[in-house]
Amino acid sequence: MVKNRTHLRRGLALGAGVLVVPALTGCSQDTLAQWGRWGMPVAASQQAPWIGDLWNGAWIASLVIGVFVWGLILWVMFRYRRKNNTEVPRQTRYNLPLEIMYTLVPFLIIGVLFFFTVRSQDAVLAKSAQPQHTVNVLGQKWSWTFNYMEQQNSAVGAVVHEGGTIEKIPDLYLPVNESVRFNLTSADVIHSFWIPEFYFKQDVIPGHPNSFDVTPNRTGVFLAKCAELCGTYHSAMLFNVHVVSVDEYNAYLKGLAAKGQTGEIKAPAWPNAVPSAPADEEHP
């Protein structure tokens, strides 16, 4: 019997090795690094570390609390297990110190998480008095239109736009290390503007403009998407984000102007809409 159990254990260990070793050898350095970030992509904006640190802190706190609770459960299971069929453990009706502890500790945990969440939220939502660029984003079923408000930019000198369709994914170009304000509006239903590498997303609500500032700080091409279920072709509501040098950014916009893609494409007026800020505030 003992010999059979030994063979069984060796067989299980060998089987686990056969499954685990290929999985580990198949993991690239990028995959392992991503797991080191708890699944988050490499950050690509100045504001992203605020959310990244909050995410990491929440995971660490959850693991510490989880290990502590699991340890208590296992300790109680073995420490106070019934040792014979007649033994009845000592019954305790009240334990005031214990009741106070398990009432106050959750409030303490929530308070700490609330403090760091509000601090990160305030930092991410902070707006510059004069952002260097403004992009008015229009979300519609089921694609995006980007209006580059560059009439004050001497290298471009015009408002240019680019839009997409279900068949054609649009491109959003952004200059690296320069602040950009996104003004978000919807032509139909609620969408959500999400660039995962920026660690931030914001709802695009019809009749209720939203806005936020971001400063991209890593060049590259990133896939972005709508993060709000918005209808039949929600999954196709994608766009590519190109973070490039300022010269490349200006050259791309001049190319759009040369194609005749000038002027702003706006959402329809919605009844009871929240009024937008004055033009000199939105487009300094």
Side-chain angles (χ1 to χ4, degrees), residues 133-140 144-151 156 158-164 170-174 180-186 193 249 252-253 256 261-267 282-283:
H133 304 274
T134 299
V135 180
N136 290 352
V137 178
L138 175 61
Q140 69 274 332
W144 303 90
T145 299
F146 305 115
N147 298 285
Y148 300 90
M149 314 304 290
E150 295 291 334
Q151 61 270 42
V156 181
V159 177
V160 296
H161 65 262
E162 179 176 8
D171 294 298
L172 171 64
Y173 273 71
L174 300 174
V180 180
R181 172 162 300 167
F182 288 105
N183 296 316
L184 311 175
T185 56
S186 172
F193 184 82
Y249 173 76
Y252 180 77
L253 297 194
L256 294 180
Q261 295 177 215
T262 57
E264 180 182 4
I265 297 179
K266 299 182 179 180
E282 285 294 324
H283 316 303

mmCIF file of all heavy atoms in Angstrom, residues 133-140 144-151 156 158-164 170-174 180-186 193 249 252-253 256 261-267 282-283:
data_model
loop_
_atom_site.group_PDB
_atom_site.id
_atom_site.type_symbol
_atom_site.label_atom_id
_atom_site.label_comp_id
_atom_site.label_asym_id
_atom_site.label_seq_id
_atom_site.Cartn_x
_atom_site.Cartn_y
_atom_site.Cartn_z
ATOM 1 N N HIS A 133 -2.044 71.291 -25.898
ATOM 2 C CA HIS A 133 -2.846 70.830 -27.029
ATOM 3 C C HIS A 133 -4.236 70.461 -26.521
ATOM 4 O O HIS A 133 -4.404 70.084 -25.350
ATOM 5 C CB HIS A 133 -2.204 69.614 -27.706
ATOM 6 C CG HIS A 133 -0.799 69.856 -28.165
ATOM 7 N ND1 HIS A 133 -0.491 70.414 -29.382
ATOM 8 C CD2 HIS A 133 0.389 69.621 -27.541
ATOM 9 C CE1 HIS A 133 0.817 70.513 -29.505
ATOM 10 N NE2 HIS A 133 1.372 70.039 -28.404
ATOM 11 N N THR A 134 -5.204 70.572 -27.417
ATOM 12 C CA THR A 134 -6.576 70.187 -27.093
ATOM 13 C C THR A 134 -7.123 69.295 -28.196
ATOM 14 O O THR A 134 -6.990 69.621 -29.386
ATOM 15 C CB THR A 134 -7.484 71.425 -26.940
ATOM 16 O OG1 THR A 134 -6.993 72.238 -25.874
ATOM 17 C CG2 THR A 134 -8.913 71.011 -26.632
ATOM 18 N N VAL A 135 -7.712 68.174 -27.792
ATOM 19 C CA VAL A 135 -8.344 67.261 -28.749
ATOM 20 C C VAL A 135 -9.791 67.068 -28.314
ATOM 21 O O VAL A 135 -10.053 66.592 -27.202
ATOM 22 C CB VAL A 135 -7.617 65.900 -28.808
ATOM 23 C CG1 VAL A 135 -8.315 64.987 -29.818
ATOM 24 C CG2 VAL A 135 -6.154 66.071 -29.165
ATOM 25 N N ASN A 136 -10.720 67.469 -29.177
ATOM 26 C CA ASN A 136 -12.136 67.235 -28.917
ATOM 27 C C ASN A 136 -12.518 65.877 -29.494
ATOM 28 O O ASN A 136 -12.421 65.663 -30.714
ATOM 29 C CB ASN A 136 -12.987 68.339 -29.539
ATOM 30 C CG ASN A 136 -12.823 69.668 -28.812
ATOM 31 O OD1 ASN A 136 -12.190 69.724 -27.755
ATOM 32 N ND2 ASN A 136 -13.377 70.728 -29.369
ATOM 33 N N VAL A 137 -12.926 64.972 -28.621
ATOM 34 C CA VAL A 137 -13.222 63.592 -29.022
ATOM 35 C C VAL A 137 -14.728 63.411 -29.123
ATOM 36 O O VAL A 137 -15.471 63.746 -28.196
ATOM 37 C CB VAL A 137 -12.635 62.590 -28.006
ATOM 38 C CG1 VAL A 137 -12.986 61.165 -28.404
ATOM 39 C CG2 VAL A 137 -11.129 62.766 -27.885
ATOM 40 N N LEU A 138 -15.170 62.881 -30.251
ATOM 41 C CA LEU A 138 -16.577 62.572 -30.447
ATOM 42 C C LEU A 138 -16.728 61.056 -30.562
ATOM 43 O O LEU A 138 -16.144 60.426 -31.453
ATOM 44 C CB LEU A 138 -17.105 63.250 -31.722
ATOM 45 C CG LEU A 138 -18.544 62.930 -32.124
ATOM 46 C CD1 LEU A 138 -19.529 63.362 -31.050
ATOM 47 C CD2 LEU A 138 -18.879 63.577 -33.465
ATOM 48 N N GLY A 139 -17.488 60.482 -29.648
ATOM 49 C CA GLY A 139 -17.782 59.055 -29.705
ATOM 50 C C GLY A 139 -19.137 58.831 -30.341
ATOM 51 O O GLY A 139 -20.104 59.517 -30.004
ATOM 52 N N GLN A 140 -19.222 57.896 -31.271
ATOM 53 C CA GLN A 140 -20.495 57.587 -31.908
ATOM 54 C C GLN A 140 -20.512 56.117 -32.277
ATOM 55 O O GLN A 140 -19.462 55.499 -32.419
ATOM 56 C CB GLN A 140 -20.718 58.448 -33.160
ATOM 57 C CG GLN A 140 -19.807 58.149 -34.338
ATOM 58 C CD GLN A 140 -18.473 58.874 -34.288
ATOM 59 O OE1 GLN A 140 -18.375 59.956 -33.718
ATOM 60 N NE2 GLN A 140 -17.457 58.274 -34.873
ATOM 61 N N TRP A 144 -14.810 56.543 -33.554
ATOM 62 C CA TRP A 144 -14.382 57.779 -32.902
ATOM 63 C C TRP A 144 -14.019 58.823 -33.947
ATOM 64 O O TRP A 144 -13.551 58.492 -35.040
ATOM 65 C CB TRP A 144 -13.160 57.530 -32.016
ATOM 66 C CG TRP A 144 -13.347 56.489 -30.977
ATOM 67 C CD1 TRP A 144 -13.098 55.146 -31.099
ATOM 68 C CD2 TRP A 144 -13.828 56.675 -29.645
ATOM 69 N NE1 TRP A 144 -13.397 54.500 -29.925
ATOM 70 C CE2 TRP A 144 -13.847 55.410 -29.014
ATOM 71 C CE3 TRP A 144 -14.250 57.786 -28.919
ATOM 72 C CZ2 TRP A 144 -14.256 55.231 -27.699
ATOM 73 C CZ3 TRP A 144 -14.656 57.616 -27.611
ATOM 74 C CH2 TRP A 144 -14.660 56.358 -27.003
ATOM 75 N N THR A 145 -14.224 60.093 -33.581
ATOM 76 C CA THR A 145 -13.753 61.219 -34.378
ATOM 77 C C THR A 145 -12.890 62.095 -33.480
ATOM 78 O O THR A 145 -13.284 62.414 -32.356
ATOM 79 C CB THR A 145 -14.922 62.041 -34.943
ATOM 80 O OG1 THR A 145 -15.706 61.207 -35.797
ATOM 81 C CG2 THR A 145 -14.408 63.237 -35.734
ATOM 82 N N PHE A 146 -11.707 62.468 -33.977
ATOM 83 C CA PHE A 146 -10.772 63.287 -33.204
ATOM 84 C C PHE A 146 -10.609 64.634 -33.888
ATOM 85 O O PHE A 146 -10.210 64.721 -35.062
ATOM 86 C CB PHE A 146 -9.419 62.580 -33.097
ATOM 87 C CG PHE A 146 -9.514 61.183 -32.537
ATOM 88 C CD1 PHE A 146 -9.193 60.083 -33.320
ATOM 89 C CD2 PHE A 146 -9.950 60.969 -31.241
ATOM 90 C CE1 PHE A 146 -9.292 58.797 -32.810
ATOM 91 C CE2 PHE A 146 -10.061 59.687 -30.723
ATOM 92 C CZ PHE A 146 -9.735 58.601 -31.514
ATOM 93 N N ASN A 147 -10.929 65.697 -33.153
ATOM 94 C CA ASN A 147 -10.764 67.062 -33.642
ATOM 95 C C ASN A 147 -9.562 67.687 -32.947
ATOM 96 O O ASN A 147 -9.575 67.888 -31.724
ATOM 97 C CB ASN A 147 -12.015 67.891 -33.338
ATOM 98 C CG ASN A 147 -13.261 67.354 -34.025
ATOM 99 O OD1 ASN A 147 -13.443 67.515 -35.224
ATOM 100 N ND2 ASN A 147 -14.128 66.698 -33.259
ATOM 101 N N TYR A 148 -8.549 67.989 -33.721
ATOM 102 C CA TYR A 148 -7.330 68.597 -33.171
ATOM 103 C C TYR A 148 -7.482 70.118 -33.238
ATOM 104 O O TYR A 148 -7.468 70.705 -34.320
ATOM 105 C CB TYR A 148 -6.108 68.156 -33.975
ATOM 106 C CG TYR A 148 -5.874 66.660 -33.984
ATOM 107 C CD1 TYR A 148 -6.453 65.852 -34.976
ATOM 108 C CD2 TYR A 148 -5.063 66.047 -33.034
ATOM 109 C CE1 TYR A 148 -6.232 64.479 -35.001
ATOM 110 C CE2 TYR A 148 -4.841 64.666 -33.055
ATOM 111 C CZ TYR A 148 -5.435 63.901 -34.043
ATOM 112 O OH TYR A 148 -5.223 62.542 -34.080
ATOM 113 N N MET A 149 -7.615 70.747 -32.080
ATOM 114 C CA MET A 149 -7.853 72.187 -32.012
ATOM 115 C C MET A 149 -6.508 72.924 -32.033
ATOM 116 O O MET A 149 -6.027 73.411 -31.015
ATOM 117 C CB MET A 149 -8.659 72.514 -30.759
ATOM 118 C CG MET A 149 -9.851 71.596 -30.512
ATOM 119 S SD MET A 149 -11.024 71.532 -31.905
ATOM 120 C CE MET A 149 -11.715 73.166 -31.819
ATOM 121 N N GLU A 150 -5.918 72.974 -33.211
ATOM 122 C CA GLU A 150 -4.555 73.493 -33.356
ATOM 123 C C GLU A 150 -4.524 74.836 -34.085
ATOM 124 O O GLU A 150 -3.537 75.178 -34.719
ATOM 125 C CB GLU A 150 -3.696 72.470 -34.107
ATOM 126 C CG GLU A 150 -3.496 71.163 -33.374
ATOM 127 C CD GLU A 150 -2.616 71.297 -32.132
ATOM 128 O OE1 GLU A 150 -1.779 72.213 -32.086
ATOM 129 O OE2 GLU A 150 -2.777 70.466 -31.207
ATOM 130 N N GLN A 151 -5.610 75.619 -33.954
ATOM 131 C CA GLN A 151 -5.635 76.908 -34.625
ATOM 132 C C GLN A 151 -4.621 77.894 -34.042
ATOM 133 O O GLN A 151 -4.200 78.846 -34.718
ATOM 134 C CB GLN A 151 -7.048 77.517 -34.585
ATOM 135 C CG GLN A 151 -7.587 77.787 -33.184
ATOM 136 C CD GLN A 151 -8.352 76.620 -32.617
ATOM 137 O OE1 GLN A 151 -7.931 75.481 -32.762
ATOM 138 N NE2 GLN A 151 -9.475 76.898 -31.965
ATOM 139 N N VAL A 156 0.679 74.353 -37.448
ATOM 140 C CA VAL A 156 -0.485 73.767 -38.113
ATOM 141 C C VAL A 156 -1.460 74.870 -38.523
ATOM 142 O O VAL A 156 -1.840 74.994 -39.683
ATOM 143 C CB VAL A 156 -1.184 72.731 -37.211
ATOM 144 C CG1 VAL A 156 -2.393 72.112 -37.921
ATOM 145 C CG2 VAL A 156 -0.207 71.644 -36.787
ATOM 146 N N ALA A 158 -4.694 75.393 -37.857
ATOM 147 C CA ALA A 158 -6.058 75.066 -38.248
ATOM 148 C C ALA A 158 -6.607 73.985 -37.336
ATOM 149 O O ALA A 158 -5.866 73.293 -36.634
ATOM 150 C CB ALA A 158 -6.102 74.606 -39.702
ATOM 151 N N VAL A 159 -7.939 73.874 -37.344
ATOM 152 C CA VAL A 159 -8.603 72.754 -36.691
ATOM 153 C C VAL A 159 -8.727 71.647 -37.722
ATOM 154 O O VAL A 159 -9.288 71.854 -38.807
ATOM 155 C CB VAL A 159 -9.998 73.148 -36.173
ATOM 156 C CG1 VAL A 159 -10.702 71.939 -35.575
ATOM 157 C CG2 VAL A 159 -9.893 74.268 -35.149
ATOM 158 N N VAL A 160 -8.167 70.485 -37.415
ATOM 159 C CA VAL A 160 -8.237 69.349 -38.345
ATOM 160 C C VAL A 160 -8.877 68.172 -37.631
ATOM 161 O O VAL A 160 -8.882 68.111 -36.391
ATOM 162 C CB VAL A 160 -6.844 68.971 -38.886
ATOM 163 C CG1 VAL A 160 -6.259 70.105 -39.707
ATOM 164 C CG2 VAL A 160 -5.901 68.592 -37.755
ATOM 165 N N HIS A 161 -9.417 67.261 -38.399
ATOM 166 C CA HIS A 161 -10.112 66.133 -37.787
ATOM 167 C C HIS A 161 -9.781 64.838 -38.520
ATOM 168 O O HIS A 161 -9.353 64.854 -39.676
ATOM 169 C CB HIS A 161 -11.623 66.350 -37.794
ATOM 170 C CG HIS A 161 -12.220 66.394 -39.175
ATOM 171 N ND1 HIS A 161 -12.512 67.588 -39.834
ATOM 172 C CD2 HIS A 161 -12.560 65.405 -40.053
ATOM 173 C CE1 HIS A 161 -13.011 67.325 -41.015
ATOM 174 N NE2 HIS A 161 -13.060 66.008 -41.183
ATOM 175 N N GLU A 162 -9.999 63.746 -37.820
ATOM 176 C CA GLU A 162 -9.891 62.415 -38.416
ATOM 177 C C GLU A 162 -10.914 61.519 -37.737
ATOM 178 O O GLU A 162 -11.060 61.545 -36.510
ATOM 179 C CB GLU A 162 -8.494 61.819 -38.249
ATOM 180 C CG GLU A 162 -8.381 60.430 -38.849
ATOM 181 C CD GLU A 162 -6.969 59.855 -38.774
ATOM 182 O OE1 GLU A 162 -6.120 60.474 -38.135
ATOM 183 O OE2 GLU A 162 -6.744 58.776 -39.350
ATOM 184 N N GLY A 163 -11.630 60.742 -38.518
ATOM 185 C CA GLY A 163 -12.640 59.856 -37.968
ATOM 186 C C GLY A 163 -12.503 58.452 -38.505
ATOM 187 O O GLY A 163 -11.790 58.201 -39.473
ATOM 188 N N GLY A 164 -13.187 57.539 -37.840
ATOM 189 C CA GLY A 164 -13.139 56.146 -38.248
ATOM 190 C C GLY A 164 -14.529 55.588 -38.461
ATOM 191 O O GLY A 164 -15.544 56.246 -38.220
ATOM 192 N N PRO A 170 -9.716 54.333 -36.522
ATOM 193 C CA PRO A 170 -9.060 55.641 -36.636
ATOM 194 C C PRO A 170 -7.745 55.695 -35.849
ATOM 195 O O PRO A 170 -7.493 54.861 -34.975
ATOM 196 C CB PRO A 170 -10.093 56.594 -36.037
ATOM 197 C CG PRO A 170 -10.842 55.750 -35.056
ATOM 198 C CD PRO A 170 -10.888 54.369 -35.642
ATOM 199 N N ASP A 171 -6.935 56.687 -36.189
ATOM 200 C CA ASP A 171 -5.663 56.914 -35.514
ATOM 201 C C ASP A 171 -5.719 58.210 -34.731
ATOM 202 O O ASP A 171 -6.222 59.231 -35.228
ATOM 203 C CB ASP A 171 -4.521 56.994 -36.534
ATOM 204 C CG ASP A 171 -4.301 55.669 -37.248
ATOM 205 O OD1 ASP A 171 -3.973 54.685 -36.558
ATOM 206 O OD2 ASP A 171 -4.461 55.620 -38.481
ATOM 207 N N LEU A 172 -5.206 58.159 -33.503
ATOM 208 C CA LEU A 172 -5.072 59.351 -32.666
ATOM 209 C C LEU A 172 -3.589 59.618 -32.482
ATOM 210 O O LEU A 172 -2.859 58.761 -31.969
ATOM 211 C CB LEU A 172 -5.757 59.136 -31.312
ATOM 212 C CG LEU A 172 -5.522 60.216 -30.254
ATOM 213 C CD1 LEU A 172 -6.113 61.556 -30.692
ATOM 214 C CD2 LEU A 172 -6.109 59.786 -28.903
ATOM 215 N N TYR A 173 -3.130 60.802 -32.911
ATOM 216 C CA TYR A 173 -1.725 61.162 -32.771
ATOM 217 C C TYR A 173 -1.570 62.134 -31.604
ATOM 218 O O TYR A 173 -2.358 63.084 -31.457
ATOM 219 C CB TYR A 173 -1.198 61.802 -34.053
ATOM 220 C CG TYR A 173 -0.690 60.780 -35.048
ATOM 221 C CD1 TYR A 173 -1.575 59.948 -35.729
ATOM 222 C CD2 TYR A 173 0.666 60.641 -35.302
ATOM 223 C CE1 TYR A 173 -1.120 58.999 -36.633
ATOM 224 C CE2 TYR A 173 1.132 59.685 -36.208
ATOM 225 C CZ TYR A 173 0.233 58.874 -36.864
ATOM 226 O OH TYR A 173 0.692 57.929 -37.753
ATOM 227 N N LEU A 174 -0.549 61.888 -30.772
ATOM 228 C CA LEU A 174 -0.274 62.735 -29.617
ATOM 229 C C LEU A 174 1.220 63.034 -29.555
ATOM 230 O O LEU A 174 2.037 62.158 -29.851
ATOM 231 C CB LEU A 174 -0.709 62.038 -28.317
ATOM 232 C CG LEU A 174 -2.187 61.664 -28.190
ATOM 233 C CD1 LEU A 174 -2.414 60.864 -26.911
ATOM 234 C CD2 LEU A 174 -3.065 62.900 -28.217
ATOM 235 N N VAL A 180 -1.941 67.378 -23.032
ATOM 236 C CA VAL A 180 -3.075 67.324 -23.959
ATOM 237 C C VAL A 180 -4.360 67.307 -23.133
ATOM 238 O O VAL A 180 -4.469 66.549 -22.168
ATOM 239 C CB VAL A 180 -3.027 66.066 -24.852
ATOM 240 C CG1 VAL A 180 -4.219 66.046 -25.807
ATOM 241 C CG2 VAL A 180 -1.712 65.992 -25.621
ATOM 242 N N ARG A 181 -5.301 68.162 -23.521
ATOM 243 C CA ARG A 181 -6.633 68.098 -22.890
ATOM 244 C C ARG A 181 -7.597 67.406 -23.840
ATOM 245 O O ARG A 181 -7.728 67.790 -24.999
ATOM 246 C CB ARG A 181 -7.153 69.491 -22.553
ATOM 247 C CG ARG A 181 -8.621 69.472 -22.069
ATOM 248 C CD ARG A 181 -8.995 70.722 -21.341
ATOM 249 N NE ARG A 181 -8.145 70.899 -20.172
ATOM 250 C CZ ARG A 181 -8.074 72.040 -19.483
ATOM 251 N NH1 ARG A 181 -8.786 73.087 -19.855
ATOM 252 N NH2 ARG A 181 -7.274 72.126 -18.433
ATOM 253 N N PHE A 182 -8.263 66.390 -23.317
ATOM 254 C CA PHE A 182 -9.298 65.697 -24.073
ATOM 255 C C PHE A 182 -10.660 66.196 -23.609
ATOM 256 O O PHE A 182 -10.987 66.143 -22.417
ATOM 257 C CB PHE A 182 -9.210 64.189 -23.848
ATOM 258 C CG PHE A 182 -8.037 63.539 -24.513
ATOM 259 C CD1 PHE A 182 -6.934 63.137 -23.776
ATOM 260 C CD2 PHE A 182 -8.028 63.321 -25.874
ATOM 261 C CE1 PHE A 182 -5.843 62.539 -24.382
ATOM 262 C CE2 PHE A 182 -6.955 62.712 -26.496
ATOM 263 C CZ PHE A 182 -5.854 62.320 -25.747
ATOM 264 N N ASN A 183 -11.455 66.696 -24.550
ATOM 265 C CA ASN A 183 -12.849 67.045 -24.283
ATOM 266 C C ASN A 183 -13.716 65.979 -24.933
ATOM 267 O O ASN A 183 -13.642 65.761 -26.154
ATOM 268 C CB ASN A 183 -13.183 68.427 -24.857
ATOM 269 C CG ASN A 183 -12.393 69.523 -24.178
ATOM 270 O OD1 ASN A 183 -12.256 69.554 -22.957
ATOM 271 N ND2 ASN A 183 -11.852 70.451 -24.959
ATOM 272 N N LEU A 184 -14.513 65.293 -24.137
ATOM 273 C CA LEU A 184 -15.234 64.104 -24.592
ATOM 274 C C LEU A 184 -16.731 64.383 -24.711
ATOM 275 O O LEU A 184 -17.367 64.850 -23.758
ATOM 276 C CB LEU A 184 -15.016 62.948 -23.602
ATOM 277 C CG LEU A 184 -13.567 62.656 -23.187
ATOM 278 C CD1 LEU A 184 -13.541 61.576 -22.116
ATOM 279 C CD2 LEU A 184 -12.737 62.234 -24.393
ATOM 280 N N THR A 185 -17.297 64.093 -25.880
ATOM 281 C CA THR A 185 -18.740 64.186 -26.081
ATOM 282 C C THR A 185 -19.207 62.962 -26.875
ATOM 283 O O THR A 185 -18.419 62.318 -27.560
ATOM 284 C CB THR A 185 -19.133 65.466 -26.849
ATOM 285 O OG1 THR A 185 -18.419 65.504 -28.087
ATOM 286 C CG2 THR A 185 -18.821 66.710 -26.035
ATOM 287 N N SER A 186 -20.506 62.677 -26.762
ATOM 288 C CA SER A 186 -21.084 61.531 -27.464
ATOM 289 C C SER A 186 -22.206 61.998 -28.375
ATOM 290 O O SER A 186 -22.952 62.926 -28.047
ATOM 291 C CB SER A 186 -21.629 60.511 -26.464
ATOM 292 O OG SER A 186 -22.357 59.497 -27.134
ATOM 293 N N PHE A 193 -13.885 56.292 -23.023
ATOM 294 C CA PHE A 193 -12.612 56.543 -23.706
ATOM 295 C C PHE A 193 -11.494 55.951 -22.859
ATOM 296 O O PHE A 193 -11.212 56.421 -21.765
ATOM 297 C CB PHE A 193 -12.437 58.061 -23.853
ATOM 298 C CG PHE A 193 -11.229 58.491 -24.623
ATOM 299 C CD1 PHE A 193 -11.236 58.516 -26.001
ATOM 300 C CD2 PHE A 193 -10.083 58.907 -23.964
ATOM 301 C CE1 PHE A 193 -10.128 58.946 -26.714
ATOM 302 C CE2 PHE A 193 -8.970 59.331 -24.660
ATOM 303 C CZ PHE A 193 -8.992 59.352 -26.042
ATOM 304 N N TYR A 249 4.144 64.876 -34.975
ATOM 305 C CA TYR A 249 2.761 65.241 -34.675
ATOM 306 C C TYR A 249 2.301 66.380 -35.584
ATOM 307 O O TYR A 249 1.245 66.297 -36.227
ATOM 308 C CB TYR A 249 2.661 65.646 -33.209
ATOM 309 C CG TYR A 249 1.333 66.216 -32.784
ATOM 310 C CD1 TYR A 249 0.229 65.404 -32.573
ATOM 311 C CD2 TYR A 249 1.185 67.600 -32.587
ATOM 312 C CE1 TYR A 249 -0.991 65.934 -32.172
ATOM 313 C CE2 TYR A 249 -0.030 68.139 -32.188
ATOM 314 C CZ TYR A 249 -1.111 67.301 -31.982
ATOM 315 O OH TYR A 249 -2.309 67.827 -31.601
ATOM 316 N N TYR A 252 1.933 65.239 -39.217
ATOM 317 C CA TYR A 252 0.741 64.431 -39.449
ATOM 318 C C TYR A 252 -0.494 65.318 -39.567
ATOM 319 O O TYR A 252 -1.341 65.109 -40.453
ATOM 320 C CB TYR A 252 0.561 63.422 -38.319
ATOM 321 C CG TYR A 252 -0.641 62.541 -38.484
ATOM 322 C CD1 TYR A 252 -0.628 61.480 -39.387
ATOM 323 C CD2 TYR A 252 -1.808 62.770 -37.754
ATOM 324 C CE1 TYR A 252 -1.740 60.669 -39.555
ATOM 325 C CE2 TYR A 252 -2.925 61.963 -37.922
ATOM 326 C CZ TYR A 252 -2.882 60.915 -38.822
ATOM 327 O OH TYR A 252 -3.996 60.118 -39.001
ATOM 328 N N LEU A 253 -0.608 66.315 -38.689
ATOM 329 C CA LEU A 253 -1.770 67.196 -38.744
ATOM 330 C C LEU A 253 -1.773 68.031 -40.016
ATOM 331 O O LEU A 253 -2.830 68.288 -40.599
ATOM 332 C CB LEU A 253 -1.800 68.099 -37.507
ATOM 333 C CG LEU A 253 -1.957 67.401 -36.151
ATOM 334 C CD1 LEU A 253 -2.307 68.419 -35.069
ATOM 335 C CD2 LEU A 253 -3.004 66.308 -36.187
ATOM 336 N N LEU A 256 -3.260 65.987 -42.662
ATOM 337 C CA LEU A 256 -4.727 65.967 -42.620
ATOM 338 C C LEU A 256 -5.303 67.232 -43.241
ATOM 339 O O LEU A 256 -6.300 67.180 -43.984
ATOM 340 C CB LEU A 256 -5.206 65.836 -41.163
ATOM 341 C CG LEU A 256 -4.891 64.528 -40.435
ATOM 342 C CD1 LEU A 256 -5.433 64.586 -39.003
ATOM 343 C CD2 LEU A 256 -5.474 63.318 -41.165
ATOM 344 N N GLN A 261 -9.219 67.793 -44.535
ATOM 345 C CA GLN A 261 -9.925 67.401 -43.311
ATOM 346 C C GLN A 261 -9.796 68.501 -42.270
ATOM 347 O O GLN A 261 -9.227 68.325 -41.199
ATOM 348 C CB GLN A 261 -9.355 66.071 -42.793
ATOM 349 C CG GLN A 261 -9.609 64.910 -43.737
ATOM 350 C CD GLN A 261 -8.988 63.607 -43.268
ATOM 351 O OE1 GLN A 261 -8.540 62.796 -44.075
ATOM 352 N NE2 GLN A 261 -8.936 63.373 -41.974
ATOM 353 N N THR A 262 -10.355 69.673 -42.589
ATOM 354 C CA THR A 262 -10.304 70.815 -41.688
ATOM 355 C C THR A 262 -11.684 71.072 -41.097
ATOM 356 O O THR A 262 -12.703 70.616 -41.617
ATOM 357 C CB THR A 262 -9.813 72.064 -42.434
ATOM 358 O OG1 THR A 262 -10.677 72.302 -43.557
ATOM 359 C CG2 THR A 262 -8.389 71.875 -42.929
ATOM 360 N N GLY A 263 -11.707 71.831 -39.999
ATOM 361 C CA GLY A 263 -12.958 72.114 -39.314
ATOM 362 C C GLY A 263 -13.265 71.067 -38.262
ATOM 363 O O GLY A 263 -12.694 69.975 -38.264
ATOM 364 N N GLU A 264 -14.177 71.410 -37.359
ATOM 365 C CA GLU A 264 -14.523 70.517 -36.255
ATOM 366 C C GLU A 264 -15.824 69.789 -36.522
ATOM 367 O O GLU A 264 -16.805 70.402 -36.952
ATOM 368 C CB GLU A 264 -14.642 71.303 -34.943
ATOM 369 C CG GLU A 264 -14.997 70.428 -33.745
ATOM 370 C CD GLU A 264 -15.166 71.216 -32.459
ATOM 371 O OE1 GLU A 264 -15.074 72.464 -32.510
ATOM 372 O OE2 GLU A 264 -15.400 70.585 -31.405
ATOM 373 N N ILE A 265 -15.833 68.501 -36.288
ATOM 374 C CA ILE A 265 -17.055 67.700 -36.369
ATOM 375 C C ILE A 265 -17.630 67.606 -34.960
ATOM 376 O O ILE A 265 -16.978 67.097 -34.044
ATOM 377 C CB ILE A 265 -16.767 66.302 -36.940
ATOM 378 C CG1 ILE A 265 -16.237 66.425 -38.368
ATOM 379 C CG2 ILE A 265 -18.021 65.434 -36.903
ATOM 380 C CD1 ILE A 265 -15.886 65.101 -39.017
ATOM 381 N N LYS A 266 -18.842 68.106 -34.785
ATOM 382 C CA LYS A 266 -19.435 68.217 -33.454
ATOM 383 C C LYS A 266 -20.587 67.231 -33.275
ATOM 384 O O LYS A 266 -21.173 66.737 -34.239
ATOM 385 C CB LYS A 266 -19.944 69.643 -33.215
ATOM 386 C CG LYS A 266 -18.865 70.709 -33.275
ATOM 387 C CD LYS A 266 -19.446 72.067 -32.984
ATOM 388 C CE LYS A 266 -18.376 73.159 -33.009
ATOM 389 N NZ LYS A 266 -18.949 74.499 -32.711
ATOM 390 N N ALA A 267 -20.892 66.988 -31.985
ATOM 391 C CA ALA A 267 -22.046 66.157 -31.647
ATOM 392 C C ALA A 267 -23.310 66.984 -31.813
ATOM 393 O O ALA A 267 -23.273 68.217 -31.725
ATOM 394 C CB ALA A 267 -21.922 65.654 -30.213
ATOM 395 N N GLU A 282 -11.821 76.390 -23.051
ATOM 396 C CA GLU A 282 -11.640 75.051 -23.592
ATOM 397 C C GLU A 282 -10.465 74.982 -24.561
ATOM 398 O O GLU A 282 -9.805 73.983 -24.671
ATOM 399 C CB GLU A 282 -12.923 74.637 -24.334
ATOM 400 C CG GLU A 282 -14.073 74.270 -23.425
ATOM 401 C CD GLU A 282 -13.791 73.024 -22.634
ATOM 402 O OE1 GLU A 282 -13.145 72.097 -23.142
ATOM 403 O OE2 GLU A 282 -14.205 72.969 -21.469
ATOM 404 N N HIS A 283 -10.232 76.089 -25.288
ATOM 405 C CA HIS A 283 -9.187 76.072 -26.313
ATOM 406 C C HIS A 283 -8.275 77.278 -26.130
ATOM 407 O O HIS A 283 -8.384 78.268 -26.861
ATOM 408 C CB HIS A 283 -9.802 76.092 -27.715
ATOM 409 C CG HIS A 283 -10.960 75.169 -27.876
ATOM 410 N ND1 HIS A 283 -10.846 73.814 -27.617
ATOM 411 C CD2 HIS A 283 -12.239 75.384 -28.224
ATOM 412 C CE1 HIS A 283 -12.021 73.236 -27.824
ATOM 413 N NE2 HIS A 283 -12.871 74.168 -28.182
#
